[in-house]
Amino acid sequence: MRALTRSFLLFAAILLVAELAARFAFVRTMEGRFDYGYHPTAGFVETSDGQIELQRSGGRRFFPQTFAKERPAGVYRVIVIGDSVARGKDVPLSYTGQLEKKLRDQGIQAECINMALPGFGARRKDLVLQQAMKYQPSLIVLHVGFSNEYEDEREWKRRDDFNSPHPKNWLMHSLVMRQFYEMKTEKIYWQWLPNSVRDQSGISDANMEMQASEDETIQREWQARLEKVTQDGLQRLRAAQIPTVLVLQASNTRKPDGQGGIVLDDELLNTWTAPLESDLVARVRMKEAIPATQVQQLYSDTNHVRPEGHRLIAAQILRTLQQKGWLPAK
């Protein structure tokens, strides 16, 4: 019994030291760690020399990029906000990087910043948008889709659970215990778990997403939220007089005739975004940027496009900017 008591006290002491270290020595790196993308500034790090560094933290897996907080004179700054489709494989191959190249080829001193994040739905993209507006963008490109609302809802609930006063969550108020929890969810020690545990975790999450996708009430709620959040964001951008291009996601689906053909579908997005066009809001439809005859070659799955697809989207954005007269004089 005495040995057991000593072991317990030693374990408790180790946990206490680890907790103090987490709260005082690593407090900056822990910012937003358990907000799952809902922390307003996680991933945005301002340096002492006035630079902004995009970092992978707080549930935001930004591509590492650095830019001046104050937009330099003469620079045409474009900030792209979206999900994994807009993010692409890397910055140069995404339509962010390819748009920058096209603008510079035309003699424009362009700076295009990729703030797209995998798994982000309307609410979390809107938080990124609010932060991005602080960096004096000349143009915002907002990628609009409906494939990540489940992830937004799931991470919102996880965030609430960690901040709940319920006794079942008391241990989660410890940063050390939260980190142990995250090691499981991020599969850091996944390979040492039995296959039955790993399979059940993946099946459970997939089943929940499937159930949500088949629940018409949930889908209507999420659709209404997507529309409202997008419209609220556009109102803020209009008040700041920031031109905005909405890139509408198009998913490839089989033709209903059963002949095995592929078509691009964005009808729901196209319908409710059409009235949003104005002197400060333009739209680019992936459905129009991607040739119907090249869908199978340019799409890597239902939603994501390969680098050549990103190039075509960038070209369509450029044409739209030229038509709207939004490009700066050379």
Side-chain angles (χ1 to χ4, degrees), residues 27-283:
V27 64
R28 180 172 178 178
T29 60
M30 298 295 287
E31 182 184 44
R33 182 68 180 81
F34 303 101
D35 287 298
Y36 306 107
Y38 283 100
H39 190 283
T41 60
F44 295 90
V45 178
E46 184 175 349
T47 63
S48 58
D49 60 350
Q51 298 290 301
I52 300 298
E53 294 181 357
L54 297 184
Q55 300 181 357
R56 298 170 184 250
S57 64
R60 291 176 177 163
R61 288 183 286 160
F62 284 123
F63 283 129
Q65 297 160 84
T66 302
F67 56 92
K69 181 179 180 180
E70 301 291 333
R71 175 164 52 90
V75 169
Y76 186 67
R77 174 173 286 176
V78 179
I79 297 180
V80 176
I81 298 166
D83 55 20
S84 58
V85 179
R87 187 174 190 263
K89 292 184 176 181
D90 58 33
V91 176
L93 292 177
S94 68
Y95 66 70
T96 303
Q98 301 206 45
L99 177 61
E100 180 177 278
K101 182 179 183 302
K102 291 179 181 298
L103 290 169
R104 290 184 175 181
D105 287 346
Q106 293 204 358
I108 296 170
Q109 191 178 350
E111 175 187 54
C112 297
I113 304 162
N114 187 329
M115 291 189 186
L117 292 157
F120 270 41
R123 283 193 294 192
R124 289 190 291 173
K125 284 189 287 189
D126 190 61
L127 287 173
V128 176
L129 171 62
Q130 292 180 50
Q131 188 65 22
M133 289 178 64
K134 299 177 182 179
Y135 304 132
Q136 303 173 343
S138 310
L139 174 75
I140 289 286
V141 176
L142 179 62
H143 194 104
V144 182
F146 189 61
S147 59
N148 295 309
E149 297 311 301
Y150 169 77
E151 285 80 359
D152 262 21
E153 190 73 18
R154 180 190 61 198
E155 300 305 88
W156 178 267
K157 291 178 179 177
R158 290 175 70 192
R159 176 178 181 268
D160 274 1
D161 282 345
F162 274 136
N163 291 285
S164 167
H166 194 283
K168 73 174 184 177
N169 296 313
W170 284 354
L171 279 177
M172 291 299 103
H173 289 283
S174 161
L175 294 181
V176 174
M177 296 307 296
R178 288 187 180 190
Q179 188 60 46
F180 278 124
Y181 175 86
E182 285 304 297
M183 288 173 67
K184 170 182 173 293
T185 61
E186 294 178 358
K187 302 179 175 58
I188 292 176
Y189 55 78
W190 206 241
Q191 66 270 28
W192 295 305
L193 293 177
N195 287 334
S196 58
V197 176
R198 286 183 286 178
D199 292 344
Q200 186 57 43
S201 178
I203 291 171
S204 176
D205 195 52
N207 284 344
M208 291 177 65
E209 184 169 8
M210 180 63 70
Q211 290 171 9
S213 68
E214 295 176 349
D215 189 314
E216 294 183 1
T217 300
I218 291 177
Q219 292 296 301
R220 284 195 297 269
E221 290 175 356
W222 289 355
Q223 177 66 34
R225 185 172 68 200
L226 169 64
E227 295 181 18
K228 184 179 187 309
V229 170
T230 303
Q231 291 167 8
D232 289 348
L234 290 177
Q235 287 180 2
R236 289 194 300 271
L237 289 163
R238 170 168 284 281
Q241 290 294 292
I242 300 173
T244 306
V245 172
L246 302 178
V247 175
L248 306 188
Q249 174 66 38
S251 301
N252 68 75
T253 58
R254 294 285 175 182
K255 287 183 178 179
D257 58 14
Q259 299 301 311
I262 300 291
V263 294
L264 289 179
D265 178 29
D266 70 351
E267 289 310 311
L268 186 58
L269 290 174
N270 184 46
T271 298
W272 69 264
T273 58
L276 301 178
E277 286 198 69
S278 68
D279 58 323
L280 284 175
V281 178
R283 298 185 309 151

Side-chain angles (χ1 to χ4, degrees), residues 302-316:
T302 304
N303 291 307
H304 298 83
V305 293
R306 296 185 170 89
E308 176 61 16
H310 280 267
R311 186 190 67 79
L312 294 173
I313 295 170
Q316 186 74 2

